[in-house]
Amino acid sequence: MNIAKGLIGAALLAAAAQGAQAATLDVVRQRGAVACGTTTGFAGFSAPDAQGKWQGLDVDLCRAIAAAVFGDASKIKVVPLNSQQRFTALQSGEVDVLTRNTTVTQQRDTALGIIHAGINFYDGQGFLVPKSLGVKSAKEINGATICLQTGTSNENTLADWARANNVSYKPVVIETFNEVVNAFAAGRCDVFSTDASGLASIRISKLQNPDDYVVLPEIISKEPLGPFVRQGDDAWLNIVRWSLSAMIEAEEYGVSSANVDEQAKSANPNIKRILGVTPGSGANLGLDEKWAYNIVKQVGNYGESFERNVGQGSPLKIKRGLNAQWTQGGLMYALPIR
């Protein structure tokens, strides 16, 4: 069995290396759209709205990449993927980029033929419980059954935390996200454990009576979430990385979708470079000089995207916290466009 797994892994890495030889940007331009791997439905991050249009923080990043490449944020192809499918889909070239809540880890960056292109949400694993359980802390869940989705880093993280804190539990591991949610809602397990952002999304969008549930205060891991691309195509890696950075830096300088045209007249040399008034950054990426302008104009800066999708303008009402700008006590620190 281990030999078979090794052969499969080697084949996938070989396919990834072969796929990287074809420049992703050329493939994307020929297709006429950026193919983004998303979740199968995760409110606030990537999920279809009532009209079937995909929305969310991660979808906005996909749209930003399309705005940079095509000057048109609508030129995207959303490919819903579960946790087991996501890496194979990227390795095989089915998608150009993963823009779904995927934790950056050393193993993923080194062993799968893929690499992360930035962090668009700083998260951590937590616990969701019914209020009727009567617990106030994760350390009180000794002996509980805990629902988890297979194929994620949450299984190992929970096991490590439980051993370190002498907490016993019975895992209920299920393959698809919606099935895990349904199992939890039906009372098959006492606790749901995943990233805290996911718990907020589940509580608001998936449970019939959200007020009957509470997210416990403990965060037991670091879960930096971000986009992934295939290794071996640095030009495409740069486009994805700098599309995200443009959104973050635009917020830092107060450039938004509402004022971007006025800001293009700014005397600030940093803003002039971001918006392409001073040329150079577009040529560096093989894109139009208005690549970042198009991102901000059509998608918005990072703060705008955060607030409407997961922040105070959304049902999730997640506080900025670690995802605030570095000048506001958070970790969002854009690489300078210069």
Side-chain angles (χ1 to χ4, degrees):
M1 183 63 72
N2 288 337
I3 293 174
K5 286 183 178 179
L7 291 173
I8 291 170
L12 289 172
L13 288 173
Q18 183 178 5
Q21 293 174 6
T24 306
L25 179 57
D26 293 339
V27 173
V28 167
R29 282 174 167 160
Q30 185 174 9
R31 186 192 303 117
V34 180
C36 296
T38 69
T39 66
T40 54
F42 187 175
F45 290 83
S46 53
D49 62 16
Q51 289 72 46
K53 183 178 179 181
W54 283 78
Q55 307 280 1
L57 188 77
D58 290 335
V59 176
D60 274 358
L61 179 54
C62 179
R63 294 174 61 231
I65 298 165
V69 173
F70 297 108
D72 185 346
S74 70
K75 290 189 174 182
I76 64 172
K77 177 185 177 184
V78 172
V79 182
L81 301 167
N82 64 31
S83 296
Q84 295 75 42
Q85 298 167 328
R86 54 184 165 173
F87 299 128
T88 303
L90 180 59
Q91 291 163 337
S92 68
E94 180 183 351
V95 298
D96 308 308
V97 56
L98 286 181
T99 53
R100 69 182 308 289
N101 58 322
T102 299
T103 301
V104 176
T105 69
Q106 191 230 30
Q107 189 267 347
R108 289 172 177 175
D109 255 4
T110 58
L112 301 180
I114 64 177
I115 192 164
H116 81 282
I119 307 299
N120 74 327
F121 194 89
Y122 290 94
D123 209 346
Q125 186 171 339
F127 302 90
L128 178 67
V129 300
K131 289 181 179 177
S132 60
L133 202 61
V135 300
K136 303 296 182 184
S137 166
K139 293 181 181 180
E140 299 174 17
I141 62 175
N142 197 49
T145 55
I146 302 181
C147 276
L148 299 150
Q149 185 180 10
T150 191
T152 70
S153 59
N154 298 139
E155 292 179 73
N156 290 336
T157 298
L158 177 60
D160 289 346
W161 174 84
R163 280 193 297 268
N165 290 275
N166 198 29
V167 172
S168 65
Y169 68 96
K170 299 174 184 177
V172 178
V173 183
I174 301 174
E175 183 172 340
T176 65
F177 178 75
N178 285 334
E179 287 178 0
V180 186
V181 174
N182 292 338
F184 175 67
R188 283 183 55 193
C189 43
D190 306 307
V191 182
F192 195 133
S193 185
T194 188
D195 297 346
S197 60
L199 299 177
S201 176
I202 292 162
R203 179 177 170 273
I204 291 296
S205 66
K206 300 288 186 179
L207 299 176
Q208 189 171 3
N209 298 302
D211 290 341
D212 291 344
Y213 299 86
V214 63
V215 177
L216 297 178
E218 286 89 353
I219 297 296
I220 65 171
S221 70
K222 295 182 291 184
E223 304 292 338
L225 310 178
F228 279 79
V229 298
R230 287 180 293 279
Q231 288 186 13
D233 191 341
D234 289 351
W236 183 246
L237 170 64
N238 278 331
I239 288 172
V240 175
R241 172 187 289 153
W242 288 99
S243 293
L244 171 58
S245 198
M247 295 180 73
I248 298 170
E249 191 166 32
E251 182 187 15
E252 179 180 339
Y253 285 104
V255 182
S256 69
S257 58
N259 69 17
V260 64
D261 290 311
E262 186 63 29
Q263 289 278 24
K265 305 171 187 175
S266 171
N268 186 317
N270 294 303
I271 293 175
K272 291 170 74 172
R273 280 191 291 267
I274 294 169
L275 300 182
V277 177
T278 300
S281 68
N284 291 341
L285 293 170
L287 302 176
D288 187 274
E289 292 296 346
K290 298 189 74 173
W291 67 279
Y293 167 89
N294 290 327
I295 290 174
V296 179
K297 181 70 173 179
Q298 297 178 37
V299 183
N301 65 37
Y302 178 80
E304 291 179 276
S305 179
F306 185 100
E307 290 305 317
R308 69 170 169 261
N309 288 304
V310 300
Q312 299 309 301
S314 78
L316 273 63
K317 299 196 180 303
I318 296 174
K319 295 179 180 179
R320 284 294 292 267
L322 296 178
N323 296 292
Q325 285 279 338
W326 66 283
T327 54
Q328 302 297 319
L331 297 179
M332 282 297 165
Y333 184 104
L335 304 175
I337 297 175
R338 63 172 182 258

